[in-house]
Amino acid sequence: MNKLFMKRKSRGFSMIEVLIAVVVLGFGLMALAALQTSIIRSSAETKAQTVALQLAKDKIEDLRAFQTLAGYQAITSGNDTATESAVSYTRAWTVTRFGYQASTGAFAAIATLTGATPAADASGVAFTANNEYKRVAVTVSWTDANGNTQNIGIEDAIGAVSPGDGAKIVLNNTASSEPRYPRVLINDPSLTEGVIPIAVGNGTETAATNPKPEIAGNNNNQHVVETRFDVLTYAGLNNNTAQVQSRVETVVVGCTCNESNKDTADTSYRPTYWNGFRYAAPTAASYTPKSGAATIANNAPPQSQYCNTCCRDHHDPSGVTGPKFDPRRTTHTHYKIVNGTLVAAGANDDYVEACRLIRVDGIFRVAADMNNDYFNLLATRNDGSAAAYAPTATATTNYQNIVLDYLGARIVNQGSPSAYNTLLTASAVQALEATRSINDPDSISIQRTNDFKWLHSRGLFIDYLEPEALDKITNAKSACNTAVTTLQSCVLKYVPFTSINLSELTNWTPTSGTQLVVTNADFANSVGQTDPVRGKVVPGSNPTNNSNQTAYSSIFSSNSGVALLSYTIDTDETTLNDSQVFAIGGGSPPATGGTYQVNVTNYTFGASASTYPSFTANPSVVCNYSAGGNPYNCTTSTLGATTLNITSYNYEGAKIAYTATGGSSGISCSKTTGNNTTTITNIGLSIPASSIANARRTCRNFAVSSVSSGTIGAVTNSAKGSESTAISLTTADAAVINIGMTAEASTNASLLSCTYSGNYNSNDTIPDNKVTLTWSNPCQ
C-alpha cells in the first residue's frame, strides 16, 4: 500500500494545488500590472513636469531679453498656452514692480506695472527714477492622466538694466563677479569626428553636432525620419571640457499636409527667428486657422510627431507682416508631387512640406527656413584608420578660415546692412577658395582592387537676418573698440550661423557601375552602423587603369535637403553640387576579362544616342559611352587581342529645304479624286522653314581613317546607316584606343512622291503649305 500510494503521488499536482498556484500567480500578475501602470504614469508625469519647468524658465528668460529701457518698462503680467506630446499647458506670469525710495533706504511696491518710474507712491514717498526691478512669478498648469490639475511655478527678479548693459557693468567691475547663469560643462565638441568648431572671438567657439537622420517610428515598414542636431556656443576649454554658453536644439522633418483638415480650435504661430540675442518665442498668428493652418494628410505615410506643428504653422499668407518662414520667397505656394514634378496644390490636395523646428520655451517651434549658403567637399584622412572619414587637420583649418572669410566678406566687413542677407557671388566664393586651398587635392588616388576612400561634405547655413538682428549687428560694429578686440569678435556672436557635417545627408553618385561606386545607403537599414553610411568610394566592377573618374555630391539648399527628402517642397529650392576626381591606378585587371577605352576623334556626334557609333567585337565586348560620346569604356570577356567592329557611324543628318532653281521645280505633284488624277508640273516649288518636316533628308557619311593600336580592316554596308569597319586590335588590356574618322560627302534623299490638297487646275500654282513631299531615306 505504501508503494502504491507513493507511485500515485509522484504522478502530478492535485487540483487544489493547481488552484492555489493559479491564485498566487494571479495576485502576482495583478501586482505587476499595477506596478507597470504606475511606472508609465510616473514617467509621463515626470516628462510633463520637465516640460512645464522648461516653459516657466524660458518665459523668464524671454522677459529678461529686453534690449532697451522702454522694453523693460513694458514688461507686464500675461498668459498663454502650449501643447507638447498631446499635453496642453497653460502658462501665466504675474509681475510685481518695486522701486527704490531713498528716504527709507528700501524698495517698495509700485502699483503701475508699465511705463516710467512714478515720482512717488500713494502716500507721497518719492521713488528714485529708474532704480527699480520687477519680480516675475511664472506658473504652468496642466491636467494629468487622472484628470487632476497639476502646476509648477518659479520666480525671479528682473532688473531695469538691460542684459547688454549688465555685461558692460561686469566688464568694468574690478571684482571677480560675473553674470549669473547656469554652468553646463561638456566635452570638447571638436573631439567628435566630423565636428568642426568655428572661432567667433574672445575664446568663444560655435559648433554643430553631426546631424544624422533618426528613425522615430516604423509602421508597415515605412519609416519616420527626423534629422536632429544641436548648435553649441561654448568657451573656457580646459582639459577637453568647455562651458556651454548657449544650445540650440534643432530637428528637421519632412511632412505631407492638407489644408482641408484644419483644426479650427488650434492656434497657429508665426516663426521663431533670431532677434539678435536668441531665438524669439513665436507670436500667435493674427489670421485665423481657417485661412492659415493645416494638419497632416489623412492618407499620408507615417509622419513625425512634429508634423502637426509643421503643417499648422508653416504658412506665409499674402499680406502677412513681420518675420516670415521663407523670407526669400515672394509667394508661399504649396506643392504636390505629380509624376516626379512639383505642381501647385489645390485647396483640398495633399502637399509636401519640410520644417526646421527649434526648441523655444521648452517646446519645438517652427523656425524660419534654413539656407545652405556654401556647400563643398573637404579632404578626408583616408589613411585606413578608424576615423579615416574625418577631415584632415589641414582641411579642417582651411575650412575654419574660409567660413570666417565668407562671414567677413558678407557681414563683418560689409558696410551696408542691406547686403547682409545677400549671398556672395560664385566668383567671390571661388576667390576665397583659391586663397584657402579648400578644393585640394585635385584628385585622389584609388587602386583598382581592394581599396576605398571617404568623402566629406559640409554646409554653411546663415539665418535670414530680420531688422532686429540687423540693428544689433550694426550697433555692435559701432560700439566695437578695435584697439582692444577685433571687429569679428564684436560681430559674430550676434550672427546666427552654423557649419554642419552633411556627409550623411548628401546624395552621392554613382551608386553602381564599372568605374567607381559611392555608398548612398538608406538609414533605416543601417541604424546600428557606427561609420558613415554614405560617402564611401570603392572601385567599380571593372575599373579602367590610369583613368580619371569623378564622384558627385548634391543636396537641396533648404529644409528639404536636411530632412533627407528625395524632392524639394517648392520651386525656389535649388540643388547644390560638388565633385571629386579619383585617379584609378595599380592592381591587375580581373583574370576573366580586360578593359580599355576608345576615343573617336574627328567625328561629329549627333544630337542623341542613336547618332553615336556603336561597337561589337569577337570575343564579345560591351562598350558604354558617356553623354556627348567619348570616351567609350569597353570590357572584353578575355584578355589579349580582339577584333573590334565600329558600326552605325553614318546617320541621318539635319533636313534641308528643297529650293527650285531657274524658277522651275522640276517636280510633278498629283492628286487623285475618285478615278481622276490631276497632275500639275513646273509649279516653282520651294519648301519654307515652316514645312521643314517635308524637306529633303541627308545622310552624314564617315570613314575610319586611323587607329592608334591595330589595323583597319574590311568595310561593309558602305554609305548606309549600318556601315561597319573591322579593326584588329593588338591589345585589349588597360589601353586607350584612338580611332580617327574622316567626313565624306553627305548623300541626299531622292523624291518618292509629291501630293497636294485642295482644288487646283493643271496650270495653277499650288501654295507650299498645300504640298506634301515624301523622300527616301538615304541612310538605308
Side-chain angles (χ1 to χ4, degrees):
M1 291 294 292
N2 289 339
K3 292 182 178 179
L4 178 59
F5 175 78
M6 291 300 292
K7 187 177 291 184
R8 287 177 178 173
K9 186 176 180 180
S10 64
R11 289 179 180 175
F13 297 102
S14 66
M15 181 61 71
I16 189 74
E17 290 174 317
V18 172
L19 290 175
I20 293 173
V22 169
V23 170
V24 172
L25 179 62
F27 277 112
L29 291 176
M30 291 173 62
L32 182 61
L35 176 62
Q36 185 175 15
T37 301
S38 176
I39 291 174
I40 293 173
R41 184 181 297 113
S42 177
S43 176
E45 190 60 27
T46 300
K47 180 178 180 181
Q49 290 174 355
T50 301
V51 172
L53 180 60
Q54 189 64 49
L55 282 169
K57 291 169 58 180
D58 283 337
K59 186 67 227 179
I60 288 181
E61 291 304 315
D62 183 45
L63 295 176
R64 195 191 298 279
F66 62 90
Q67 301 180 36
T68 64
L69 179 59
Y72 162 80
Q73 292 172 346
I75 295 175
T76 187
S77 303
N79 61 83
D80 60 14
T81 60
T83 301
E84 174 78 358
S85 299
V87 178
S88 297
Y89 298 88
T90 299
R91 179 173 61 181
W93 55 96
T94 302
V95 176
T96 309
R97 189 179 186 188
F98 297 88
Y100 183 71
Q101 297 176 321
S103 60
T104 62
F107 283 87
I110 299 175
T112 57
L113 296 181
T114 61
T117 307
D121 62 14
S123 62
V125 180
F127 287 111
T128 302
N130 298 329
N131 191 352
E132 61 169 79
Y133 70 91
K134 291 183 177 182
R135 184 174 65 200
V136 180
V138 183
T139 301
V140 179
S141 60
W142 70 98
T143 302
D144 63 18
N146 294 324
N148 299 321
T149 299
Q150 303 290 340
N151 60 72
I152 194 169
I154 60 174
E155 67 175 51
D156 203 350
I158 299 177
V161 178
S162 72
D165 292 338
K168 296 174 184 177
I169 292 173
V170 173
L171 290 175
N172 292 328
N173 198 341
T174 57
S176 58
S177 61
E178 58 181 1
R180 179 164 52 96
Y181 48 78
R183 289 179 173 270
V184 179
L185 295 180
I186 58 172
N187 290 326
D188 181 0
S190 65
L191 299 178
T192 302
E193 303 295 352
V195 173
I196 298 179
I198 307 298
V200 295
N202 294 335
T204 300
E205 297 187 85
T206 182
T209 59
N210 289 323
K212 185 171 183 178
E214 297 182 4
I215 307 302
N218 190 337
N219 187 355
N220 295 327
N221 210 26
Q222 292 180 301
H223 304 285
V224 178
V225 177
E226 299 171 356
T227 302
R228 293 175 175 269
F229 60 93
D230 293 343
V231 181
L232 302 168
T233 302
Y234 56 94
L237 279 173
N238 184 24
N239 294 326
N240 292 332
T241 63
Q243 184 172 312
V244 175
Q245 296 175 335
S246 68
R247 176 191 180 195
V248 179
E249 296 178 75
T250 306
V251 58
V252 186
V253 296
C255 307
T256 303
C257 310
N258 191 306
E259 291 197 42
S260 65
N261 296 332
K262 302 177 182 71
D263 181 356
T264 56
D266 201 2
T267 302
S268 297
Y269 287 89
R270 300 303 300 147
T272 178
Y273 66 97
W274 179 258
N275 65 7
F277 291 96
R278 64 192 294 261
Y279 283 95
T283 58
S286 58
Y287 48 84
T288 63
K290 289 184 178 180
S291 64
T295 60
I296 59 175
N298 289 333
N299 299 319
Q303 301 197 57
S304 165
Q305 62 175 318
Y306 301 109
C307 281
N308 278 319
T309 304
C310 173
C311 294
R312 181 194 69 190
D313 292 349
H314 199 265
H315 304 263
D316 286 327
S318 177
V320 69
T321 59
K324 295 182 178 181
F325 289 103
D326 196 344
R328 291 182 170 87
R329 296 177 66 187
T330 55
T331 61
H332 196 126
T333 304
H334 291 125
Y335 293 89
K336 59 183 178 180
I337 308 295
V338 179
N339 296 325
T341 303
L342 287 178
V343 177
N348 297 318
D349 290 340
D350 292 352
Y351 63 88
V352 293
E353 188 63 279
C355 291
R356 172 178 65 151
L357 297 99
I358 290 175
R359 191 184 290 278
V360 179
D361 284 357
I363 294 178
F364 277 107
R365 306 284 192 171
V366 182
D369 291 349
M370 307 180 72
N371 191 72
N372 197 339
D373 292 56
Y374 177 53
F375 174 71
N376 69 309
L377 301 182
L378 298 184
T380 59
R381 297 174 191 171
N382 282 326
D383 54 6
S385 64
Y389 52 83
T392 65
T394 299
T396 297
T397 300
N398 289 343
Y399 183 76
Q400 290 170 324
N401 288 330
I402 200 171
V403 167
L404 296 176
D405 292 345
Y406 188 100
L407 294 168
R410 178 169 153 181
I411 298 176
V412 176
N413 301 315
Q414 170 59 252
S416 174
S418 61
Y420 292 170
N421 285 316
T422 303
L423 276 65
L424 297 188
T425 63
S427 58
V429 171
Q430 290 171 359
L432 297 179
E433 290 178 332
T435 301
R436 297 301 182 182
S437 303
I438 201 68
N439 290 320
D440 292 346
D442 293 332
S443 66
I444 299 173
S445 298
I446 187 169
Q447 298 299 300
R448 294 177 64 184
T449 58
N450 299 321
D451 199 2
F452 67 89
K453 302 294 181 181
W454 287 98
L455 292 171
H456 178 97
S457 62
R458 294 201 76 83
L460 174 62
F461 294 81
I462 305 175
D463 278 17
Y464 187 88
L465 298 172
E466 297 292 343
E468 297 165 78
L470 293 175
D471 290 344
K472 183 58 191 174
I473 293 172
T474 301
N475 292 336
K477 287 184 178 182
S478 300
C480 186
N481 185 352
T482 53
V484 177
T485 186
T486 63
L487 188 60
Q488 173 182 295
S489 299
C490 295
V491 172
L492 285 188
K493 57 186 174 182
Y494 302 115
V495 178
F497 76 92
T498 185
S499 164
I500 306 178
N501 175 7
L502 296 176
S503 302
E504 300 278 49
L505 308 179
T506 297
N507 288 305
W508 302 95
T509 55
T511 55
S512 63
T514 59
Q515 301 301 323
L516 293 175
V517 174
V518 190
T519 57
N520 203 59
D522 180 359
F523 288 91
N525 301 322
S526 313
V527 291
Q529 185 167 328
T530 55
D531 290 346
V533 300
R534 295 189 173 190
K536 184 178 183 179
V537 183
V538 297
S541 60
N542 207 342
T544 302
N545 197 20
N546 300 323
S547 67
N548 289 332
Q549 307 295 334
T550 305
Y552 300 92
S553 63
S554 66
I555 192 170
F556 299 137
S557 60
S558 190
N559 296 348
S560 301
V562 181
L564 207 68
L565 300 184
S566 56
Y567 43 77
T568 61
I569 64 166
D570 61 64
T571 56
D572 293 319
E573 277 199 70
T574 59
T575 301
L576 308 176
N577 302 282
D578 203 355
S579 60
Q580 177 64 56
V581 174
F582 287 84
I584 297 179
S588 301
T592 58
T595 61
Y596 56 95
Q597 282 188 338
V598 174
N599 288 305
V600 181
T601 59
N602 299 323
Y603 180 79
T604 303
F605 288 89
S608 64
S610 62
T611 58
Y612 296 172
S614 59
F615 295 89
T616 60
N618 184 20
S620 64
V621 66
V622 176
C623 293
N624 299 311
Y625 51 82
S626 58
N630 291 319
Y632 287 76
N633 297 308
C634 301
T635 303
T636 62
S637 59
T638 60
L639 297 176
T642 186
T643 299
L644 181 69
N645 294 305
I646 178 171
T647 186
S648 301
Y649 44 82
N650 296 336
Y651 60 89
E652 183 178 317
K655 298 175 181 179
I656 60 174
Y658 179 86
T659 303
T661 58
S664 175
S665 67
I667 294 178
S668 296
C669 260
S670 299
K671 174 185 177 183
T672 300
T673 305
N675 295 323
N676 299 319
T677 299
T678 303
T679 301
I680 302 175
T681 60
N682 299 323
I683 59 176
L685 180 70
S686 64
I687 304 299
S690 60
S691 302
I692 198 67
N694 295 323
R696 174 181 292 193
R697 299 177 177 182
T698 64
C699 184
R700 298 294 302 271
N701 293 322
F702 296 88
V704 178
S705 58
S706 65
V707 61
S708 61
S709 178
T711 304
I712 302 173
V715 178
T716 59
N717 298 323
S718 179
K720 294 183 178 181
S722 57
E723 180 176 324
S724 178
T725 301
I727 302 173
S728 297
L729 301 178
T730 57
T731 180
D733 178 21
V736 177
I737 310 300
N738 293 311
I739 298 177
M741 307 291 289
T742 300
E744 297 180 322
S746 297
T747 57
N748 296 328
S750 58
L751 182 67
L752 295 179
S753 66
C754 176
T755 58
Y756 66 90
S757 60
N759 298 317
Y760 297 94
N761 297 317
S762 58
N763 294 323
D764 290 340
T765 299
I766 307 175
D768 291 342
N769 60 3
K770 298 294 183 178
V771 176
T772 300
L773 304 180
T774 303
W775 300 95
S776 65
N777 187 339
C779 281
Q780 288 183 344

